[in-house]
Amino acid sequence: MPRIFSGIQPSGELHIGNWLGAVRNWVNLQYDFESFYSIVDLHAVTTGATDPGHLAQQTMDMAIGLLSAGIDPEKATLFVQSHVPAHSELMWLLNAVTPVGDLERMTQYKDKSRGLKSIPAGLLNYPILQAADILLYRADTVPVGEDQFQHLELAREIARRWNQRFGGGEAFFPEPVARKTEAVRVMGLDGKGKMSKSQGNTVGLLDSPDDIWHKLRPAMTDPARKTRKDPGDPDVCNIFALHGHFSSADTCGMVAEQCRTAGWGCLDCKRVLADNISERFAPMREQAQELKADPQRVTDLLARGAEHAAAIANETLDGVQACMGLLPPLVVSSTA
Ligand code: TYM
C-alpha cells in the first residue's frame, strides 16, 4: 500500500480552511493509503510564542477535532509529533544536505520573519523538520493546502540531495508529492488573506451554530455591494465561494441569481451558508462531545499511534544513520 504523511499544528482549532484544504482529503485517503497523520507540536513551538500553559490542551483538542472529522484510528495512525523523537533526530541529520539559501527563500519564512528584531532559528529551519516528518515514513504522497507546496518542493530537494550524497545510488527516500483538494487556498472571512487561526478569520469545524452565524455576519463580501440594492458579483465574493463547498448546486445557482439581481442582501446569503455549515458539521460536533467526555480514550489512541509510528520511524532512522556512517549504538557487554 502506498504511504501518505501529513501534519497539522495544534493551533487550538480545526477550521474549515484546514478541512477543505487538507483534512477532508486525509479522511478520504485513509482507506487507500497507509496513512500517518501527526499533530505537529514541535512545529508549533518554533517561534517561542506558543503559550506553554495551553499547548498540551490544544494538542488534545486537535486530536479530538481530527477524530471527530473522520480520522479512523483503525485505518490511520494518528500521533503527536513530539512523542516520536526520531522526527527531531532525522531533522538534525537532514541539516547536512539543506542549503541555508533554500531556507531563506521560503515564502513563509520571509512572511513570518519580516519585521522581527531577532529571528528564531526554528523559523528558518522549520521546513527541514517538515521534510523529516515526511521522509521518516518514506511517504510519497502528502495531502496539503497550497501554503505548504513550497515546503514540499524543498522536502523533495532534500530527499534528492540526501539520496545523492548518502544513498549509494539508491532512492532511499522517495520524493514526496502534494495531493491537492479543489480548495487549495480557502480565504479568511475578512477577505484579506488565507483563512488562518492566527488571523482570527476562521470558522471552526466544532463551532456552535450561533458562533458560526456570529462569525459569518460581519464577513467580507463583494466590496461593490455597498447597499442592499446594489447588485453583486458572486465570482468575487468569498461567501459565494464557501457556498460552493457547503451548499447544493441548486442553492448555489439560486444564491448567484439573487446576488446578481440584488434580490437578496448579503445577510440573506450568509444565513443560508451558516445553516448549511452548521448542518454539515452537526455529526462532528456530536462526536466531539463524546470524545471530550472520554479523554482517556483519546490518550490511548494517541499512545497507540505513537507506538506504531515510532516503530516505522526508528527503522528509517537506523537506516539513515548507517548510510551516514554513524557508529551504531553500543551495549555494555556482560563481561564489563
Ligand atoms: P497548518 O497546521 O498550518 O495547516 C494544516 C493543513 O491545512 C492546510 N490549510 C489550508 N488549506 C487551504 N486553505 C487554508 N486557508 C488553509 N489553512 C491551512 C495546510 O496547507 C495544511 O495542509 N507546516 C504545516 C504542518 C506540517 C506538515 C508536515 C504538513 C508539519 N509537517 C509534513 C505536511 C507534511 C502547517 O503548519 O500546516
Side-chain angles (χ1 to χ4, degrees), residues 5-9 15 17-18 21-22 40 43 126 130 133-134 142 144-145 147-148 183-186 194-195:
F5 180 92
S6 202
I8 188 164
Q9 292 198 46
H15 56 72
N18 302 137
V40 292
H43 277 95
Y126 181 107
Q130 185 156 343
D133 296 339
I134 301 164
V142 185
V144 279
D147 57 347
Q148 301 302 320
V184 288
R185 183 179 164 85
V186 178
K194 72 163 186 174
M195 184 172 284

Side-chain angles (χ1 to χ4, degrees), residues 2 92 95 104 113 120 131 137 148 173 186 190 222 243 272 296 320:
W92 183 257
N95 272 311
E104 283 172 337
S113 61
Y137 301 91
Q148 301 302 320
F173 289 128
V186 178
D190 54 5
D222 173 5
H243 266 292
V272 175
Q296 189 62 51
V320 170

Side-chain angles (χ1 to χ4, degrees), residues 103-124:
L103 297 169
E104 283 172 337
R105 73 181 170 74
M106 293 291 112
T107 312
Q108 282 208 359
Y109 169 71
K110 287 194 223 162
D111 288 348
K112 291 189 175 162
S113 61
R114 192 171 297 125
L116 292 184
K117 273 207 193 99
S118 163
I119 301 171
L123 209 49
L124 183 68

